[in-house]
Amino acid sequence: MAGRPWHERVYRTLLKLLPSEFRNDFEESMTEDFKDQRADAVARGGGRPMRRLWSQTLAGIVRQAPREHLGILRRDIEYAWRLLWRRPAFAASTL
């Protein structure tokens, strides 16, 4: 990771706010999209477009991370309920 530019390292660090399941599926494509968007911002003149890109990126990750974590938690709870429903005797014995 040390050979990567600072902006990519910072972006990948921000992605660590997302669940690992989500990151494993989408990290590479999201990083490529970010690099393309950054190149566009540099081509448009740097300063203001770059600040806008970083603010949108940060806001997007901060909005998405809780949503993804809650989605995984919801699926885990639904799975647990299905297991308990199928085996009520086991559920009663664990109490």
Side-chain angles (χ1 to χ4, degrees):
M1 188 179 276
R4 293 190 172 126
W6 71 268
H7 51 84
E8 189 175 333
R9 289 193 311 266
V10 170
Y11 182 75
R12 285 182 180 262
T13 301
L14 285 174
L15 289 180
K16 292 187 188 290
L17 294 171
L18 297 167
S20 61
E21 289 177 14
F22 186 86
R23 272 196 331 266
N24 292 340
D25 292 340
F26 300 108
E27 182 175 20
E28 292 304 318
S29 64
M30 290 175 72
T31 301
E32 288 302 316
D33 288 343
F34 176 76
K35 289 194 300 191
D36 292 343
Q37 291 172 355
R38 186 180 181 285
D40 289 344
V42 168
R44 286 191 310 252
R48 177 178 256 168
M50 193 65 68
R51 285 190 299 275
R52 186 171 185 218
L53 170 64
W54 278 107
S55 66
Q56 288 176 341
T57 299
L58 183 59
I61 289 175
V62 167
R63 272 193 318 267
Q64 188 70 23
R67 196 175 308 148
E68 292 300 326
H69 283 287
L70 287 174
I72 290 171
L73 179 62
R74 181 184 52 81
R75 287 190 300 272
D76 288 347
I77 290 171
E78 288 171 355
Y79 178 71
W81 277 113
R82 280 195 309 271
L83 287 179
L84 292 174
W85 183 255
R86 288 182 191 147
R87 297 182 176 193
F90 174 74
S93 69
T94 60
L95 296 175

